[in-house]
Amino acid sequence: MSDDTNTLPDFGPQTRLVARVAEGVKDDQLDGPTPCPDYAVRHLLGHVVHLTGAFADAGRKRLGASTDTDPSSSVPDLGEGWREDLPRLLGELAEVWRDPAAWTGETRAGGVELTGDIAGVVALNELVLHGWDLARATGQEYAPDEASLAVSYAMVSATAAESPDARGTMFGPPLPVADDAPLLERVVALSGRDPGWRP
């Protein structure tokens, strides 16, 4: 393994955490609310299934329907077998992004052209934020690894600095949070979510 490979973010801890949270979702919680106003739990899970497959294809540079679909074009839902499919897809995602080639060149996700390194950061940030959304919506503990949180914080803080009203970004306007708040709370607030949200 090269020194460059050692510096790449490892999706493994975060994909395993999201898989654990998804496993903890009870069937009677699927229609409950989430911090994403337009999504019930089932829609949020459907979104995670779709984005996991899309960013795996983006990392492979296997461009097509999964990478070209705008996620805001429709409300996602769960298909049959999602409890088996999601852990498998998360494992595949982590494996794809262990390959240094995934972080190079040009690719696409959500119909947007991205460099490989930016696509990797966006994918990991999506897992961090939507993992929090899912855990909070279903009353589960949630503690991402420090490295994944650091990647997510770098992205959301840069986005907030460049566009304080969140115009043209994938986030809502940042919410105020104390400078000494835990890093996860700062990530959540900078993405436009209320760290104190409860269903």
Side-chain angles (χ1 to χ4, degrees):
M1 187 178 289
S2 70
D3 290 341
D4 287 344
T5 304
N6 282 329
T7 65
L8 295 175
D10 179 10
F11 280 49
Q14 185 60 29
T15 53
R16 289 190 294 272
L17 175 57
V18 172
R20 180 187 62 73
V21 173
E23 183 181 15
V25 175
K26 299 176 177 64
D27 287 344
D28 63 4
Q29 294 177 314
L30 290 175
D31 292 319
T34 75
C36 306
D38 296 331
Y39 284 4
V41 171
R42 66 184 315 110
H43 304 134
L44 178 59
L45 281 163
H47 178 60
V48 173
V49 169
H50 295 155
L51 78 85
T52 301
F55 277 104
D57 284 343
R60 297 182 184 109
K61 313 300 192 289
R62 189 183 295 166
L63 307 184
S66 69
T67 61
D68 294 353
T69 302
D70 179 350
S72 65
S73 62
S74 62
V75 176
D77 206 346
L78 285 174
E80 294 293 328
W82 71 269
R83 289 191 182 274
E84 293 75 35
D85 291 343
L86 183 54
R88 174 181 55 78
L89 289 167
L90 286 164
E92 290 177 5
L93 181 70
E95 193 59 35
V96 165
W97 288 93
R98 287 191 181 105
D99 182 350
W103 298 86
T104 64
E106 300 290 325
T107 191
R108 194 159 56 243
V112 178
E113 302 290 333
L114 300 166
T115 58
D117 58 337
I118 291 177
V121 168
V122 171
L124 189 53
N125 180 65
E126 286 279 292
L127 291 176
V128 169
L129 289 175
H130 289 316
W132 180 84
D133 293 331
L134 187 59
R136 188 54 61 97
T138 57
Q140 299 186 61
E141 294 297 318
Y142 186 67
D145 63 290
E146 290 184 11
S148 295
L149 263 183
V151 169
S152 190
Y153 179 74
M155 179 179 173
V156 296
S157 58
T159 302
E162 292 169 9
S163 183
D165 62 0
R167 187 170 301 149
T169 77
M170 65 183 75
F171 308 122
L175 298 182
V177 67
D179 291 341
D180 61 352
L183 186 56
L184 178 58
E185 289 188 14
R186 284 181 278 157
V187 166
V188 167
L190 284 168
S191 75
R193 292 157 166 81
D194 176 5
W197 187 93
R198 292 288 188 280

